[in-house]
Amino acid sequence: NISVVDPGELVRLAGLKNAHGLGISQVVPYPFMPTLPVIREYQTLLARHAPGQQVNYTSFEQFLGAKVLVEALRRAGPGPTRAKVIKALESMGKYDLGGVSVGYSPANRVGSRFVEVTVIGSGGKLMR
């Protein structure tokens, strides 16, 4: 499966027996343990600005994307336009978000090739 799926929803819909052991490819690091500075930042800001919301892969991936966009807007300067933001992204090169790096250039708009696999464990929770 792919990272945009909610493992809890899979367990609910398919049942634990059927979901147990399912591998899910993740395109960002495991966000549940604050092992990297950017994960600690994400968890702190999520708790402060969205109390009650659970840490999950989807919102962490969106958080990283927002950080990249903010940096591109900063580099684009006053009065950012689509062209200025694209140029800022293309000139970004390798950019460290806090333990997670992305990289952009005119020839590379992928940003990251990070992939790891998690598995739905016997208790219905994700395991690394």
Side-chain angles (χ1 to χ4, degrees):
N1 212 331
I2 58 173
S3 60
V4 295
V5 70
D6 176 356
E9 188 71 4
L10 272 178
V11 170
R12 187 182 74 72
L13 292 172
L16 181 56
K17 179 182 173 192
N18 294 319
H20 173 241
L22 178 68
I24 303 171
S25 61
Q26 306 292 355
V27 296
V28 298
Y30 193 74
F32 303 98
M33 293 173 37
T35 55
L36 300 172
V38 72
I39 295 172
R40 289 189 292 274
E41 178 187 14
Y42 158 73
Q43 289 180 352
T44 298
L45 292 172
L46 184 69
R48 183 181 309 146
H49 298 289
Q53 293 297 311
Q54 298 295 311
V55 168
N56 63 67
Y57 275 99
T58 302
S59 66
F60 183 52
E61 185 176 348
Q62 293 167 346
F63 177 76
L64 295 175
K67 285 182 70 78
V68 170
L69 178 59
V70 167
E71 180 61 18
L73 289 168
R74 185 190 69 74
R75 291 179 185 211
T81 63
R82 180 180 185 276
K84 287 180 182 179
V85 171
I86 289 171
K87 185 174 182 177
L89 283 167
E90 288 179 342
S91 66
M92 191 174 277
K94 185 177 177 185
Y95 182 66
D96 185 355
L97 298 164
V100 173
S101 293
V102 295
Y104 298 97
S105 71
N108 177 25
R109 293 189 174 179
V110 174
S112 172
R113 298 195 185 286
F114 179 92
V115 177
E116 70 179 8
V117 176
T118 56
V119 176
I120 298 178
S122 60
K125 302 291 183 192
L126 285 179
M127 300 172 22
R128 291 174 75 181

